[in-house]
Amino acid sequence: FKLLLETFETNLVSGFNLHVGSPISSGINAEYGGTFKRVLVSLLQGNRSSDPNVMFDKAHQDAIDLNKAGVGRMGTDESTFNRILVTRSHKHLRLVFQEYEKISGRDIESSIKSEMSGDAEDAFLGIAKLINNPAMYFAEQLLKSMKGLGTNDDKLIRLMVWRSEIDMVEIKECFKIVSKGITLDNFIKGDCSGDYKNALLALCS
């Protein structure tokens, strides 16, 4: 799920289909269910708007709809969260989240945590975090890839290579926050070794 969430790239889908010889949607339908499956399928469809223009009225209405779907009713209408969070542009959603906080009195991430649980919470919370602050989101994911016993090398390499020429400076600043003062460079030095460590450090610079 994290890979789909982080890329939103349709070429990921075609590449997977070519590699395994069957549509990725088939695997999702077989392995997952409920809201989590619907979010994954929606991400795979690649219907997120790329419109650079943001209309305040539409953003405000989306904020109202999200409030009604969550804290404004008994139970949570997760289909509304799916429709808005997966299809609207990032720029539009940032305004939606601002309006949502004005209407509901709480930020969107807090609302998701209080209104949802399990895979649905993980899915929508991941999307909200990525949209609200991409650098902080990726800093958290880098820390998770190295923290604890063992290193998730695939995830660490993918994130470092992908973000090295996009927002690594901002990610490094956020990493010091989520790691409570340890720099990304020092974390890599303590977790990795040899040429692997040197390659990762080069991507940091």
Side-chain angles (χ1 to χ4, degrees):
F1 168 73
K2 294 296 183 183
L3 183 57
L4 294 176
L5 171 61
E6 291 159 7
T7 58
F8 294 111
E9 295 288 347
T10 54
N11 64 339
L12 169 69
V13 181
S14 60
F16 180 94
N17 295 344
L18 181 64
H19 179 68
V20 303
S22 63
I24 189 173
S25 57
S26 299
I28 289 173
N29 289 326
E31 294 293 327
Y32 303 103
T35 300
F36 191 65
K37 182 177 78 171
R38 287 191 287 274
V39 173
L40 289 177
V41 171
S42 297
L43 289 172
L44 284 171
Q45 290 172 346
N47 290 328
R48 185 173 296 284
S49 172
S50 58
D51 188 353
N53 299 311
V54 176
M55 298 178 60
F56 176 81
D57 289 346
K58 184 176 180 180
H60 185 74
Q61 185 59 54
D62 280 346
I64 292 173
D65 291 345
L66 286 174
N67 185 58
K68 289 180 178 178
V71 296
R73 57 170 283 165
M74 291 293 292
T76 304
D77 178 7
E78 293 170 347
S79 64
T80 297
F81 277 81
N82 189 32
R83 173 176 58 83
I84 295 174
L85 267 63
V86 173
T87 64
R88 305 297 195 252
S89 72
H90 286 198
K91 187 176 181 180
H92 174 90
L93 284 172
R94 291 188 188 102
L95 180 57
V96 171
F97 295 163
Q98 292 174 18
E99 291 303 300
Y100 179 88
E101 188 166 355
K102 294 176 184 176
I103 293 168
S104 69
R106 64 170 74 179
D107 63 78
I108 189 69
E109 293 179 24
S110 297
S111 290
I112 291 172
K113 290 177 183 177
S114 66
E115 294 293 323
M116 302 181 190
S117 60
D119 289 338
E121 178 186 348
D122 290 342
F124 290 121
L125 187 59
I127 292 172
K129 284 185 173 183
L130 178 57
I131 290 167
N132 266 330
N133 191 335
M136 185 66 72
Y137 171 85
F138 288 116
E140 290 176 351
Q141 296 307 309
L142 283 170
L143 180 61
K144 288 178 181 179
S145 74
M146 293 183 284
K147 194 174 182 179
L149 295 176
T151 301
N152 187 335
D153 294 310
D154 289 343
K155 182 175 184 177
L156 177 58
I157 294 169
R158 172 172 55 82
L159 290 176
M160 291 296 295
V161 171
W162 179 26
R163 309 309 296 185
S164 62
E165 296 184 1
I166 300 175
D167 52 2
M168 186 57 70
V169 173
E170 293 84 355
I171 289 172
K172 289 171 69 174
E173 289 300 314
C174 291
F175 190 90
K176 286 193 291 186
I177 297 173
V178 299
S179 67
K180 299 181 180 179
I182 304 174
T183 66
L184 179 57
D185 301 61
N186 285 338
F187 215 103
I188 290 172
K189 290 175 183 177
D191 202 67
C192 306
S193 60
D195 291 339
Y196 177 40
K197 177 189 70 176
N198 294 333
L200 293 175
L201 290 174
L203 291 170
C204 270
S205 62

